Each structure stands twice: as C-alpha cells, then as structure tokens.
Amino acid sequence: MAGSLSGGLPSGSNNDNGRGNGLLLYFHHYSFYSQKVVMALHEKKLPFKTHLVNVHKGEQYDPWFMEINPKGDVPVLKDGVKIIPDSGRILDYLEDNFTNGRTPPLIPKDHGIEVRQRVLHFRTLLDQLPVNHITAGSFYHTDLISNPKLPFVSPFRHILKVSEVNQSNYMREHAENNPKFRDVLLQRADLLDKKHDSIINREEYTKWLKNVETVLAQVEDELASHNEDKSAWWLCSPEFSIADVALTVLLDRLCCLGLEERFWSGGKCPHLDLYFKKVKNRDSYKKAVPSTLIHLQLLLMMTPRVVGVSTCIVAALAVLVGGYFYLKRK
C-alpha cells in the first residue's frame, strides 16, 4: 500500500503487510502520538509511507495488526523487517539511526551539554502529560473548554465520544474472535474501563489541567529567558528539537480542544502565544495536522459503526463550515 509522503490518507488495501524497504508508519491522523512521529519524520526530511489504521472502528485490535503490535496501539514504525512501537521509542530510533548531513538531528549535538540537557528535560516534562485522558475528558467537561476546533466541534465531538465509550466493547468483541490475543485484549479492555471512570471524574480532570498549566508555566519561563542573542531560538535551541515537536503537537491539541484561552492566549503566556503562531508556519506542522479534506474522509470512515446517517451529515456540514471559516481567517 502506498501512502503519501506528506502523511496524507494512504491508498490501497488496509491489509498491506509492509513488506519491502523503507519506512512505513501505521498511524491515525487524530492520534496525538502519531502526529508527533509524522512531524519528526518531516523535520528529519525522511521519506516514508503511511498506513491508516481505523482506530474508531477498532481495526487496531484486528489479528493482522495485533501481530504487528500486540498492544494494539498506534503509531508503529516498520523499517524493513524491524518493528518499532510506541512514539517515544520511534523518535529515539529515528534519532539513533537517521541522523547525518542530510537528516538533521532533533537532539542538538553542537551547542553544548547544557542545551542538550534542557531539550531532554522539556521533552520528558511534556511527554509525561496524559494527553489522551485530557482529550477524552473534554467530551464530558464541556464547560471547561471554549472555541474548540476540528475535529472536536459538535457534533463531531459526539462521534468521538461514542467511539471512546465503545472502545472497551470493541476490545472484548475482538478478544472472543482472536484467542491468541484474548488475555491481552481483555486486560486492555479493563484498563479502558478504568480510564473512562477517571476521565468522567471532574476532580481528576481538573487536576490534569492543573498539571498542564504547571508545565506550560515552565515553558513560558524558558521562552521568556531568551535574551537578544537567543531571540531566534526555539524552545531550548537555535535548531528545532525533539522538545519542540512535543510542545508543538501539545499546543495544537490543546488549541483544537478549546483550551488555548485557559492556558496561553489573551496575554496569559505571551511568549508561548508567539511561539505557537510562529511554529504553525513550519512545513512539518502543516503536514502533521489533518486538513479539512482529511477530516471529511475520516468522518466517513468512522461514522457507519458509531452513529447514524443524520449525525454523519450534520458532522460533515460542521467540518465544511468550520474549514471555510478557518481558511477565511488565514
């Protein structure tokens, strides 16, 4: 199956086994962790193919994908015969194996140990935030968000909420039809039920938001510390780093959820606000986030299982209208 080198929707069969040379990324456009890997691949100027895993229909629990990654998670990177799951491990693999004159490093080597340590510090700090929990929780605590963007506008948000509710049931259905991975799937289903209980807990959710606020305050302080000699720096370095990948995708997710006013816009974190406006012009960012066309295509792929036709039509209109006004503002 050939996929777009820009991370677009792949063409061909979803049963592609990834044989052959080159990098093949199993991913989904709405996966926060997939977006990080797609952005890193473009930052490193690496050609790669993509295979879209329809997570909203539970395809990640099908036997063919469980053979690739028994955890049933995206993203997964395939490099020839090597299989690398988990976004953190993928980013490390890319850095260790694809860093040379044509493929720039995302962990700087030419600016001293202090810069390198700051990059790794902020990468760790940002990676520890429970973004998937914050995303799913936003479907329930709608009074805490404002001005959400695609794909988290209503009624699209309703579709994603229904999908989230049904995920553990999808797992249990797959477990009954896949004896080899039955125990793993049932354990994961129990974990998903516990996750659901936590994300609907308002106290837990506000605690996660407070953690985000604390981390972004440290990011704001780091950006504010850049003197005239560092005015053109990114987060920790004159070069775009792995910490910037983590920060960029986080800010985009929070913005799409409708949380930018809570955390940085309106003068709350002016340096962070300027950073986000600047990074949105970066080519790798534009290729890592889904376009309006991709939103529509994904909507058509996910709705037959989780919602009715009328909801699908309303959601499609929301995507088109939202995309139109977004382009008018640009």
Side-chain angles (χ1 to χ4, degrees), residues 7 11 21 36 59 74 94 126-127 144 177 195 203-204 219 225 234 243 246 305 319:
S11 61
N21 297 322
K36 290 168 67 173
E59 189 180 9
V74 293
L94 295 175
L126 293 160
D127 284 351
L144 298 177
N177 298 319
K195 172 190 171 183
E203 184 177 350
E204 281 290 306
V219 171
S225 71
W234 290 97
R305 172 158 190 169
V319 172

Side-chain angles (χ1 to χ4, degrees), residues 108-138:
K109 300 178 180 179
D110 301 328
H111 302 287
I113 188 64
E114 183 178 349
V115 168
R116 182 182 177 88
Q117 288 177 340
R118 296 299 288 170
V119 167
L120 295 176
H121 165 74
F122 276 100
R123 176 197 181 183
T124 300
L125 198 65
L126 293 160
D127 284 351
Q128 289 176 344
L129 294 173
V131 178
N132 279 348
H133 288 62
I134 292 169
T135 298
S138 71

